[in-house]
Amino acid sequence: MEWFEALFFLLGMILFFMFLGIPVALAFLAANVIGAVYFMGGRGPLEVQMARGIGQLANNAIPTITSFNLMPVPMFLLMGEIFFFTGLANRMFTAVDRLMGKLPARLSFVTVAGGTAFATLSGSSMGSTALLGSLMVPEMQKRGYKKHMSIGPILGTGGLAMLIPPSALAVLLGTLAELDIGDLLIAGVMPGLLLACFYVVIILGMALVDPTAAPAYDVESSTFTEKLRLIFVDIIPMVSIVVLVILVIMNGIATPSESAAFGCLGVVVLAALYRSLTWDGIVKSVTGALKVTTMALLIIFGSATFSALLAFSGASSGLIKWATAFDLSPITMLVVMFLILLVLGMFMDQLSMMLLTVPIFFPLAQTLGFDLIWFAVIILLALEISFTTPPFGLLLFVMKGVSAPGTTMRDIYVAALPFMACAVFLVFLLILFPQIALWLPSLGN
C-alpha cells in the first residue's frame, strides 16, 4: 500500500466512525485497532493477526499514557475545579469588580481579568465560556452594555487560558509532541501577557469610540483601606499560586509534575483558610477532574497508536517527503498548517484536533527546521482561535446557548472578530520575533 493510500485509509476510518456518531476518542481507538491488525498483524489466520496487531498497539501506547510527564494534567484540572467549587473564583471576580471602580467598560475588563484566571486554572475553554456567559452576560445586559462588549471579551479569554500556565492543554500537547513540558509552559507566559494587553487596548478603544457601548453607572466607592484588603485578601493569594507554579518551574526547584502538585495543595490550603472547603466541593472537584483526565488519557492513547501506525505504514515519511517536495518556504508551510487548524476547529474540540494533527505536524515542523517549543506556542494559539472561527466554531455555539434572548449568531460573529484579530496579530509577531516565546525558557537553561 502506498503512503497516501495508508493515510487516506486511516483518516477515512476515523471520519467514518465519527460520522456514525461514535465519540471521537472511541472512533480513533476503533480505527487504530483495525489499522494495527492490517499493518502490524502480519500474515496468518485472522486470530493471529489480531493478537499480533493489538499486542503491538498496546506496547506502543502504554509507555505514553504511563509517562510521569502526564502528572500535571489531573493536578492542574483539580486546581481549577477546587478553585471554582469552593467559591474562590467568585471571591476574586467580586474583588476585581470592586477595584475597577468607575473605569469605562469596567465589566468587560472584569471578564478578561477574572475569566483568564479561572480559564487558565480550569484548562477548559468551553467550560469557561459557559460559566462566564451565564455569570457576566446577564449583569452586562442589565447595565446596558452592547452585545459586542459583553460577548467578545468572554470569547477572547480562552486564548489566554491556553497560553498562561498552568495550562493542562499545554501539558497534553507537550506530551504528545515529546517536548520539554517546563519549557513549553514557560514559553506561553510572555505571549499570554502580550495578548492580555491587546485585549485591554481593544476594549478601551471600543469604549472610547462608542461610550454608549458600555454605559457608566454609579458604583459603591471603596476606601483605600478596603481596596488594600481586597488586593491582599481576595486577589494576591489566588494569583500567587499561579506565579509560584511558574517560578518553581523556571528556577528548576521542581519539575512541572511536582509544581502542579504543590499548586493543587496551595488551592486546597487557601480554601481551608477561607473556610470554604467542604466535602461536597471536594467530591465535585475530584469527579470533574477525573472525567476530563479519563478522556484526556483516551485521547493520548489514541494519539500514540495513531502516530505508530502512521510511522509503521510509511504515511508519516511519505507525507513529509511530499510536503517538502513543493517549492514552498517554511513560513508558507506554517501558514498552511495554521489554516488547517482553523478549519478543523469549526467541527472538532481541541483534544481531537491535537490527536489528529500532532503526529503529522510536529515531524514536518522538525524537518522544516522550526524550534518545536516556538511552534507549539503557535499551535496552541491556532487551537484557540479555531474555536471561534465563523461560521461553525464550537465556542460560538456555546456562547449562543448562554447569551441573552434575541442574540443572533451574527451578533456573536461580530463580537468575536476583534479578539480573533488580536490573536492572529500575536501569531504574526511570534513569527517575526520568536524570542517573545523563547526568551523566558532560555533563562532557565
Side-chain angles (χ1 to χ4, degrees):
M1 183 180 289
E2 295 290 337
W3 70 267
F4 56 87
E5 293 174 330
L7 181 63
F8 288 141
F9 174 65
L10 292 170
L11 291 178
M13 280 195 298
I14 293 169
L15 294 175
F16 173 72
F17 288 132
M18 289 173 62
F19 178 76
L20 293 179
I22 297 174
V24 175
L26 297 181
F28 270 92
L29 186 60
N32 287 338
V33 169
I34 296 172
V37 172
Y38 183 83
F39 290 111
M40 300 176 175
R43 296 183 179 181
L46 180 61
E47 297 81 4
V48 175
Q49 287 182 309
M50 291 180 65
R52 288 175 184 164
I54 294 174
Q56 188 64 41
L57 199 70
N59 290 336
N60 288 329
I62 287 176
T64 303
I65 61 174
T66 55
S67 170
F68 188 67
N69 290 333
L70 285 175
M71 279 303 298
V73 175
M75 292 292 101
F76 285 156
L77 291 172
L78 187 58
M79 281 174 64
E81 296 291 328
I82 296 173
F83 188 65
F84 173 69
F85 283 111
T86 57
L88 295 180
N90 283 335
R91 287 185 73 106
M92 192 168 69
F93 268 112
T94 303
V96 171
D97 184 28
R98 292 186 61 184
L99 287 172
M100 291 287 182
K102 296 183 179 181
L103 183 72
R106 179 172 63 96
L107 291 178
S108 296
F109 289 117
V110 169
T111 299
V112 172
T116 299
F118 173 73
T120 301
L121 285 169
S122 70
S124 170
S125 296
M126 297 182 74
S128 175
T129 300
L131 171 69
L132 290 172
S134 57
L135 184 68
M136 299 301 296
V137 169
E139 182 67 19
M140 289 195 237
Q141 185 186 24
K142 185 172 70 175
R143 300 296 182 182
Y145 277 55
K146 290 187 178 178
K147 291 174 181 176
H148 67 276
M149 292 297 289
S150 60
I151 295 172
I154 294 174
L155 292 172
T157 54
L160 300 177
M162 296 305 101
L163 291 174
I164 300 176
S167 168
L169 193 71
V171 174
L172 288 172
L173 179 61
T175 302
L176 294 176
E178 298 182 357
L179 305 177
D180 186 291
I181 304 299
D183 283 351
L184 180 54
L185 288 172
I186 300 304
V189 174
M190 289 295 291
L193 294 177
L194 197 56
L195 188 57
C197 292
F198 292 164
Y199 287 169
V200 169
V201 170
I202 202 166
I203 291 172
L204 190 59
M206 289 190 295
L208 293 176
V209 169
D210 182 10
T212 63
Y217 58 92
D218 292 332
V219 293
E220 183 182 348
S221 59
S222 301
T223 65
F224 181 72
T225 303
E226 288 172 337
K227 288 181 178 179
L228 283 180
R229 182 184 177 281
L230 288 172
I231 292 171
F232 285 98
V233 175
D234 292 341
I235 294 179
I236 287 181
M238 322 306 182
V239 175
S240 65
I241 294 176
V242 177
V243 173
L244 286 173
V245 167
I246 296 171
L247 289 178
V248 296
I249 296 174
M250 279 188 63
N251 294 312
I253 299 172
T255 65
S257 301
E258 293 164 346
S259 64
F262 281 121
C264 192
L265 178 62
V267 176
V268 172
V269 170
L270 271 184
L273 290 175
Y274 286 109
R275 298 183 179 181
S276 58
L277 187 65
T278 63
W279 179 249
D280 183 60
I282 292 174
V283 171
K284 289 180 179 178
S285 300
V286 172
T287 302
L290 180 62
K291 288 178 180 178
V292 180
T293 301
T294 303
M295 181 56 66
L297 289 175
L298 279 174
I299 292 289
I300 292 168
F301 182 87
S303 179
T305 53
F306 187 59
S307 300
L309 285 173
L310 288 177
F312 194 88
S313 65
S316 294
S317 58
L319 181 63
I320 291 172
K321 290 178 183 177
W322 174 76
T324 53
F326 290 99
D327 190 18
L328 298 176
S329 67
I331 296 301
T332 304
M333 292 298 298
L334 176 65
V335 171
V336 171
M337 289 187 278
F338 188 83
L339 292 175
I340 289 172
L341 287 171
L342 295 190
V343 173
L344 288 177
M346 299 179 188
F347 312 101
M348 303 174 70
D349 62 85
Q350 294 156 320
L351 289 177
S352 303
M353 290 164 64
M354 288 188 345
L355 174 61
L356 190 62
T357 58
V358 166
I360 298 172
F361 282 7
F362 275 83
L364 182 58
Q366 191 167 25
T367 303
L368 294 170
F370 294 149
D371 183 291
L372 293 185
I373 296 293
W374 168 82
F375 179 71
V377 172
I378 291 181
I379 291 296
L380 285 172
L381 268 170
L383 288 171
E384 202 52 54
I385 297 170
S386 67
F387 250 25
T388 52
T389 307
F392 303 117
L394 295 181
L395 284 189
L396 302 174
F397 293 97
V398 173
M399 194 70 241
K400 180 68 169 69
V402 296
S403 294
T407 303
T408 65
M409 289 305 297
R410 182 182 181 279
D411 294 330
I412 298 174
Y413 297 159
V414 171
L417 289 177
F419 295 88
M420 287 177 60
C422 289
V424 172
F425 180 62
L426 177 58
V427 172
F428 177 72
L429 289 180
L430 283 169
I431 292 173
L432 290 181
F433 308 104
Q435 285 304 309
I436 294 174
L438 299 178
W439 177 62
L440 277 182
S442 69
L443 297 180
N445 295 328

